[in-house]
């Protein structure tokens, strides 16, 4: 009888002993640490790792930067952390075609630098560019306040190479902007939290870097005043890159980012100043350091009313809203804020997602809220792409 190799020895044979270590809290997800950490250096090693994991019935969670690790439900199993850090170079860069291809372990800061040397930018809006990786941001489809002008990662990704749960390397999309052949699987993979595949390579559209930028900040007494300035600036077609409303102790701070040609930025700044009227400029920044963070998405036209209601139902919580997008984040200390935020989302016909909370709270909830009507379809997709539930089991909607 042939003795079966242990998981550790099998993984070492695939990627080399120096690239396999015991699990640690540095790779923990919701308090669960993996048994092993694997750092493949090639696509073939990722494929072999996934095939081995399937044979051994090991649950694998792809890991990039730590910036979005709190997003998602508690994993039902977690045996192997697949660290993509060694998959980090630019694969192909065609400035004339406005496209760039890189591996998934590349940090957003490194990608920004590579594109910037040619006067271009990938329209990411990262909060921690030196920590977040391309694969991690795509898996979570996260975006910031510049989403109003740059859209989301799902919108400017034109091609992906991924490794499926059974260890096959496949391509979705292409490397040219005008690519319309076949199903757009990029939209399916992006935002799936690593439950359908391991992203190993991505191709993005790029845009020219702005020639000028400006940042403005005003303090208003009500969210309606702040919202009116942002929405009117957008309606006029000013050079708005981003708009954020935050609640401070007694006021609402509106921070606006401008970007574009120098003359356009200068004109936009003058018009925004005129729209703000007697509002005072401010340097005060509200804190969002809370153990619980909930994202509520509503119609942009409802943002001011939502902020007013939140001031009553969540008086001690921090509030940050992207008024022209319809996204509001609230930071709180107590679990009762989750129910209050969900009620606000329902009232305005929106949705809510618990982006961060203590593990003891997360055990009793689905962070994505009520199971959506399309959940049966989502189950069938998971079964089709990952019948053995090897990839990030339990982390997605309905604990898929």
């Amino acid at each position: 009888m042939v003795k079966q190799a242990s998981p550790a020895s099998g993984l070492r044979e695939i990627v080399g002993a120096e690239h396999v270590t015991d699990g640690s809290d540095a790779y923990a997800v919701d308090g669960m640490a993996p048994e092993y950490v694997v750092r493949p250096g090639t696509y073939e090693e990722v494929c072999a790792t996934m095939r081995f994991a399937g044979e051994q019935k090991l649950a694998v969670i792809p890991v990039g930067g730590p910036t979005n690790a709190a997003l998602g439900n508690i994993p039902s199993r977690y045996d192997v952390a697949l660290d993509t850090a060694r998959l980090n170079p630019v694969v192909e860069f065609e400035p004339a075609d406005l496209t760039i291809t890189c591996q998934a372990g590349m940090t957003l800061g490194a990608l920004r630098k590579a594109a910037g040397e040619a006067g271009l930018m990938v329209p990411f809006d990262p909060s921690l560019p030196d920590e977040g990786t391309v694969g991690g941001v795509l898996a979570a489809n996260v975006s910031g306040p510049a989403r109003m002008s740059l859209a989301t990662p799902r919108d400017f990704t034109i091609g992906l190479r991924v490794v499926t749960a059974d260890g096959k390397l496949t391509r979705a999309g292409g490397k040219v902007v005008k690519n319309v052949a076949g199903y757009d699987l990029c939209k399916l993979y992006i935002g799936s939290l690593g439950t359908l595949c391991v992203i190993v390579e991505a191709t993005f559209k790029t845009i020219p870097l702005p020639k000028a930028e400006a940042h403005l900040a005003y303090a208003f007494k009500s969210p309606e005043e702040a919202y009116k300035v942002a929405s009117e600036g957008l309606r006029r077609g000013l050079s708005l890159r981003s708009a954020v409303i935050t609640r401070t102790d007694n006021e609402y701070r509106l921070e606006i980012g401008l970007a574009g040609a120098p003359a356009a930025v200068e004109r936009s700044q003058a018009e925004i100043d005129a729209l703000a009227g007697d509002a005072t400029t401010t340097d005060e920044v509200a804190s969002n350091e809370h153990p619980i963070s909930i994202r509520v998405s509503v119609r942009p036209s409802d943002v001011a009313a939502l902020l007013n209601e939140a001031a009553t139902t969540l008086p001690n919580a921090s509030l940050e809203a992207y008024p022209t997008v319809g996204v509001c984040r609230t930071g709180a200390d107590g679990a009762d804020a989750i129910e209050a935020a969900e009620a606000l989302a329902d009232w305005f016909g929106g949705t809510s997602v618990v982006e961060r909370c203590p593990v003891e709270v997360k055990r009793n909830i689905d962070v994505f809220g009520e199971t959506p009507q399309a959940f049966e379809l989502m189950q069938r997709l998971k079964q089709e792409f990952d019948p053995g539930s090897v990839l990030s089991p339990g982390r997605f909607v309905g604990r898929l």
Side-chain angles (χ1 to χ4, degrees), residues 125-331:
D125 183 25
S127 56
L128 298 169
D130 294 328
E131 297 181 22
T133 62
V134 168
V137 168
L138 292 177
N141 193 37
V142 293
S143 57
R147 171 177 169 177
M148 63 174 290
S149 58
L150 301 180
T152 69
R154 184 179 276 132
D155 298 307
F156 53 80
T157 303
I158 59 177
L160 292 175
R161 294 187 79 181
V162 307
V163 175
T164 56
D166 57 357
K168 294 178 181 177
L169 180 65
T170 66
R171 185 186 297 277
K175 291 187 177 181
V176 293
V177 173
K178 293 184 178 180
N179 176 47
V180 295
Y183 294 108
D184 189 359
L185 291 178
C186 294
K187 298 260 189 323
L188 177 65
Y189 295 142
I190 297 173
S192 63
L193 289 182
T195 58
L196 297 179
C197 67
V198 181
I199 297 172
V200 294
E201 182 183 293
T203 300
F204 304 109
K205 295 179 285 188
T206 64
I207 61 175
L209 282 167
K211 299 296 185 182
E213 296 183 72
H215 298 275
L216 315 174
Y218 309 92
F220 297 91
K221 295 298 183 182
S222 71
E224 288 87 357
E225 294 173 292
Y227 173 79
K228 182 178 179 180
V229 172
S231 60
E232 179 62 16
L234 180 65
R235 189 192 70 80
R236 293 186 184 185
L238 302 183
S239 300
L240 268 67
R241 173 56 55 86
S242 62
V244 183
I245 298 174
T246 52
R247 182 175 70 184
T248 59
D249 290 338
N250 300 305
E251 297 175 318
Y252 289 86
R253 169 189 167 94
L254 171 63
E255 185 173 358
I256 286 181
L258 303 174
V265 170
E266 184 178 355
R267 178 178 66 85
S268 296
Q269 183 168 352
E271 290 200 38
I272 294 293
D273 282 337
L275 287 171
D278 297 330
T280 57
T281 58
T282 177
D283 294 325
E284 182 181 3
V285 179
S287 172
N288 191 27
E289 295 298 322
H290 297 277
I292 296 174
S293 178
I294 309 143
R295 182 180 74 234
V296 176
S297 300
V298 297
R299 291 179 294 270
S301 57
D302 287 333
V303 166
L306 173 68
L307 290 174
N308 263 329
E309 289 293 329
T312 302
T313 58
L314 295 164
N316 299 316
S318 66
L319 294 174
E320 177 185 89
Y322 306 157
T324 56
V325 175
V327 171
C328 179
R329 284 185 172 86
T330 178

Side-chain angles (χ1 to χ4, degrees), residues 14 25 40 49 94 112 154 169 279 290 335 353 360:
I14 294 170
D25 290 341
T49 298
E94 297 292 345
R112 175 186 289 175
R154 184 179 276 132
L169 180 65
H290 297 277
V353 174
E360 57 269 21

Side-chain angles (χ1 to χ4, degrees), residues 336-362:
D336 55 342
I338 296 175
E339 187 174 346
E342 289 176 344
L344 281 174
D346 289 341
W347 178 262
F348 288 98
T351 60
S352 65
V353 174
V354 180
E355 295 185 314
R356 183 180 68 248
C357 70
V359 176
E360 57 269 21
V361 174
K362 190 178 284 191

